[in-house]
Amino acid sequence: MPVDASRTEALRKMAAAHPEDPRPRFGLALEFERAGDWESTAAELRAYLALADDEGNAFGRLGHALRQLGRDDEAREAYRQGIAAAERHGHPTMAMEFEEVLEELGDRG
């Protein structure tokens, strides 16, 4: 699916107008994710994570994007951070899902 150019442009303008607000960055990441633009997805998720106290979801999405790019070492680190965030915010099921992905990637901790 192609990127929705008008939505992407609106989100870019919001991010530029309010650089401290993580929400437009997450929105951009979702747009790029839908389009399968994994490099842009990863970049926007990293920008979002630099601003937000994520509960785990964005780390999981980042891990997935990095796996799509063949960057498994970086993906492992994203999933580890996602586990820590999920546990910190009381999301044990999410943490378990990320642990399963790490096992698939051959990470034993």
Side-chain angles (χ1 to χ4, degrees), residues 24-106:
R25 295 293 180 181
F26 193 77
L28 280 166
L30 294 180
E31 289 298 315
F32 292 128
E33 184 180 63
R34 274 191 278 278
D37 180 348
W38 302 113
E39 197 66 54
S40 297
T41 300
E44 291 302 332
L45 285 168
R46 288 187 194 279
Y48 166 81
L49 289 165
L51 298 169
D53 179 23
D54 186 68
E55 295 190 14
N57 181 12
F59 286 109
R61 289 175 181 277
L62 176 60
H64 177 75
L66 292 167
R67 286 182 77 187
Q68 297 304 308
L69 293 166
R71 292 159 48 188
D72 288 353
D73 287 343
E74 291 176 68
R76 284 182 192 92
E77 183 56 30
Y79 286 116
R80 284 186 208 108
Q81 290 177 307
I83 290 166
E87 288 175 345
R88 192 170 57 250
H89 289 279
H91 303 300
T93 303
M94 184 185 301
M96 287 187 324
E97 289 173 10
F98 294 164
E99 287 169 1
E100 288 173 9
V101 174
L102 284 175
E103 286 180 24
E104 287 173 22
L105 288 168

